[in-house]
Amino acid sequence: MQVLDFDFVIVGSGIAGLSAAKGLAKAGRVAILTKGAIRGGGSSTHWAQGGVAAAIQEGDTPDLHFNDTIEAGAGLCDEKMVRILVEEGPDRVRELIELGADFDKVDGQLHYTQEGAHSKRRILHAGDATGREIEKTLGRYLLTETLVQFFPHTSILDLIIENGHCVGIQAKHKTDDVMFRAKVVILATGGACQMYARNTNPPSSTGDGVALAYWAGCQVKDLEFVQFHPTTLALGDKKPISLFLISEAVRGEGGILRNSAGKRFMPEYHALAELAPRDVVSRAIFKEMMDAGTSQVYLDLSNITVDIPKRFPTIFERCMEAKIDIRKQFIPVAPAAHYCIGGVVVDEWGRTDVDGLYAVGEVTATGIHGANRLASNSLLEGMVFGARVAEAVMGSPALKMGSVRGHSDDRVRLPGSRIKSGMTAGESEGITAGEVRELCAVPTDSDLMIVRHSVQNAMWEYVGIERNAAGLRRALGILGLHADVLQMPHDTELILEVKSLLQLAILTTEMALARCESVGAHFRSDFAHISKKRDVLI
Ligand code: FAD
Ligand code: SIN
């Protein structure tokens, strides 16, 4: 097995990982691992549409942004963390602009769009492909940094913990095993909404980082708060699927929701109508669909004054491919799992419970989002806390202990040859991975895909927009049928993904069962009566 030495290993090349790398780029040798190609769409960041929220415009203030975040979070936000987000956010966004991020402008001035539950137009965007622009900007910068090296098609399989300290990771590059030793490991692996049959996430969002941290002894929390996006393109797909998002910014620019009878319904649910907090809109759509027995409602863009193909080019083209001309026709939409509010517990510097192990971005539970994330606060979180993690790491004792390993021209090549021997990740004393797999009797990839689909269907059916105790227990029963998978050594990307999805599904369901109230994105139909932490009508 090839062994590589770095100062910092960052797992994930979304906004959180790239922002941390930007802060560390001159401090030592940085390895950035990512499951797919660097710009191949393997991160939620790449798919982000609406934009990034920051109080930059005249007339807006961090205080107003703070209030909106707290209000959307339904009373459960960590106020200290929200303060950091809204106060440091504007500078991080300005730095990104200085680095070349090309956000939309009108008459030479930045254009701010509107999204749900924001009291101001404060969302900077690059058309409807904001994440791609940010990823491109950060990637372009990092590629010029000689101490930074990207490792595409390289999956973390395990954390290496020695004497309670994280000293590196086991990884797989295509079919080859590679060990990365490092002074500090930063998990930036994103969320886990692939645990739902209907979701908006890229296939890589399987919660690997949360599961690995949990197995290593880190606390996880808030997993019951899964945010469902109200509007994904609903084309009647039956199988588990990543659904194309129709950005909230479309409603921000005037899009109206109509039920199957053509009636506008959101004003009956919330004073902010289509721009109510996301959990309220998703539940309202769900109720309209249930009442009418349909699997979609409609988004009507006829009131929109902006030039639709210019302002929303990606959405326009994708809908055209589906033979829907959104300038003239309603878009069929339905909610889907979108964002994991919960994750690995970290402090304001991204420190986990394990020494030498940091986490940042959607993999974490910072408390910023409370029970429901305010739209476009996630990209901002990645930038703000990515920079903070870098700052903390540079001051960490581990870094002061030794000199930087290697030199700037020490670029490594990953092995062209297959490994011949060596312990694989998850292998424990006296028993080989092969023997464990035989004992577990879950041998084939197709078996694992069956488990993956079973988890996704159970979660969508019983741990979705509305939950209740009976359904949650049923979900636990189904998930429990696959418990043997949790015993498997995670020595391939697929095994780790399925184990992670199963582990997170179980934890999410247990936490949902334990929280006997309805708040924000967690709606218990058996505790609906106490769901009035804020002014909602459902
Ligand atoms: P990600 O961007 O998901 O990156 C995770 C990285 O980890 C990827 O590179 C992945 O390949 C890698 N990875 C995962 N597992 C492994 C492993 N085992 N080994 C190696 N690498 C691994 N938020 C906003 O604020 N504004 C928006 O407009 C917006 N729009 C969105 C639209 C869509 C369709 C989606 C899905 C999300 C959107 N969000 C938006 C949410 C936001 O994009 C994400 O929360 C945010 O990008 C997460 O960033 P991240 O860096 O934490 O994770
Ligand atoms: C969107 O564009 O609707 C997604 C915004 C977000 O998830 O914050």
Side-chain angles (χ1 to χ4, degrees), residues 12-13 15-16 34 44-45 48-51 155-156 208 339 362 376 378-379:
S13 66
I15 191 162
T34 190
S44 289
T45 300
Q49 294 185 356
S155 265
I156 183 175
D208 305 357
Y339 180 84
E362 195 173 333
S376 287
S378 177
L379 292 175

Side-chain angles (χ1 to χ4, degrees), residues 10-18 33-38 42-53 115 123 130-131 135 151 154-157 188-191 200-202 204-209 212 229 243-245 247 278 337-340 360-364 373-382 493 496-497:
I10 299 174
V11 190
S13 66
I15 191 162
L18 296 179
L33 276 67
T34 190
K35 262 182 188 172
I38 299 171
S43 66
S44 289
T45 300
H46 186 87
W47 292 20
Q49 294 185 356
V52 53
E115 285 185 340
I123 323 290
T130 310
E135 183 189 64
F151 291 87
T154 308
S155 265
I156 183 175
L157 291 185
T189 45
T200 65
N201 285 196
S204 61
S205 298
T206 49
D208 305 357
L212 289 170
H229 196 290
L243 295 151
F244 182 74
L245 189 82
S247 175
R278 201 170 272 180
H338 179 60
Y339 180 84
C340 288
V360 64
E362 195 173 333
V363 70
T364 63
R373 176 174 67 91
L374 183 66
S376 287
N377 265 357
S378 177
L379 292 175
L380 189 69
E381 177 186 356
E493 183 179 290
L496 178 64
E497 287 189 344

Side-chain angles (χ1 to χ4, degrees), residues 228-231 277-287 335-336 465:
F228 293 84
H229 196 290
T231 54
R278 201 170 272 180
D279 58 305
V280 178
V281 182
S282 286
R283 273 198 304 280
I285 292 176
F286 185 72
K287 184 168 182 308
I465 295 173

Side-chain angles (χ1 to χ4, degrees), residues 248-265:
E248 195 153 312
V250 171
R251 278 174 282 131
E253 297 297 350
I256 279 172
L257 286 163
R258 298 191 182 279
N259 63 18
S260 52
K263 180 172 174 277
R264 185 181 183 198
F265 55 89

Side-chain angles (χ1 to χ4, degrees), residues 173-500:
H173 170 66
K174 297 184 180 163
T175 52
D176 297 311
D177 289 328
V178 188
M179 179 192 286
F180 289 81
R181 290 193 301 214
K183 292 171 186 160
V184 164
V185 172
I186 301 171
L187 291 174
T189 45
C193 280
Q194 278 294 338
M195 62 182 159
Y196 285 89
R198 296 178 56 81
N199 71 79
T200 65
N201 285 196
S204 61
S205 298
T206 49
D208 305 357
V210 186
L212 289 170
Y214 176 71
W215 295 328
C218 295
Q219 292 174 77
V220 295
K221 70 168 185 181
D222 293 345
L223 292 169
E224 68 274 34
F225 298 116
V226 175
Q227 181 170 68
F228 293 84
H229 196 290
T231 54
T232 63
L233 188 57
L235 298 175
D237 314 275
K238 290 274 183 289
K239 54 187 187 311
I241 192 164
S242 288
L243 295 151
F244 182 74
L245 189 82
I246 308 294
S247 175
E248 195 153 312
V250 171
R251 278 174 282 131
E253 297 297 350
I256 279 172
L257 286 163
R258 298 191 182 279
N259 63 18
S260 52
K263 180 172 174 277
R264 185 181 183 198
F265 55 89
M266 273 316 298
E268 290 165 25
Y269 291 89
H270 196 282
L272 293 173
E274 279 78 6
L275 294 177
R278 201 170 272 180
D279 58 305
V280 178
V281 182
S282 286
R283 273 198 304 280
I285 292 176
F286 185 72
K287 184 168 182 308
E288 293 291 326
M289 285 174 11
M290 291 297 115
D291 288 353
T294 58
S295 50
Q296 75 279 316
V297 295
Y298 297 93
L299 195 52
D300 168 7
L301 276 57
S302 55
N303 280 342
I304 290 191
T305 51
V306 294
D307 177 345
I308 291 172
K310 197 161 162 242
R311 172 67 184 85
F312 299 111
T314 318
I315 295 171
F316 177 72
E317 276 164 34
R318 181 68 188 80
C319 288
M320 273 306 214
E321 281 166 25
K323 308 218 177 323
I324 303 163
D325 184 342
I326 62 178
R327 293 168 299 188
K328 302 178 193 141
Q329 290 166 279
F330 291 174
I331 311 175
V333 289
H338 179 60
Y339 180 84
C340 288
I341 290 170
V344 182
V345 173
V346 288
D347 68 6
E348 68 271 32
W349 299 103
R351 285 182 288 231
T352 70
D353 295 325
V354 171
D355 268 358
L357 181 66
Y358 291 69
V360 64
E362 195 173 333
V363 70
T364 63
T366 55
I368 286 173
H369 310 299
N372 170 61
R373 176 174 67 91
L374 183 66
S376 287
N377 265 357
S378 177
L379 292 175
L380 189 69
E381 177 186 356
M383 283 182 215
V384 167
F385 288 85
R388 282 189 147 245
V389 164
E391 202 181 322
V393 162
M394 285 188 287
S396 77
L399 198 63
K400 290 180 186 134
M401 264 160 25
S403 60
V404 170
R405 294 183 183 122
H407 305 285
S408 58
D409 57 355
D410 257 1
R411 301 251 152 175
V412 291
R413 293 183 67 79
L414 283 175
S417 58
R418 299 176 66 84
I419 68 155
K420 295 185 194 76
S421 62
M423 291 263 284
T424 54
E427 207 169 64
S428 54
E429 314 84 54
I431 184 160
T432 66
E435 283 165 351
V436 174
R437 193 177 295 112
E438 231 164 71
L439 287 173
C440 295
V442 186
T444 68
D445 286 1
S446 62
D447 286 337
L448 288 166
M449 291 311 289
I450 290 168
V451 174
R452 185 176 176 136
H453 291 161
S454 164
V455 170
Q456 290 176 316
N457 288 326
M459 292 300 283
W460 181 253
E461 204 57 47
Y462 300 114
V463 199
I465 295 173
E466 281 193 23
R467 303 101 188 251
N468 60 50
L472 292 166
R473 288 203 188 94
R474 184 160 297 212
L476 282 177
I478 296 169
L479 298 171
L481 295 174
H482 307 303
D484 57 342
V485 171
L486 291 177
Q487 305 309 316
M488 293 193 66
H490 32 275
D491 54 1
T492 68
E493 183 179 290
L494 181 62
I495 296 175
L496 178 64
E497 287 189 344
V498 176
K499 271 183 82 165
S500 300

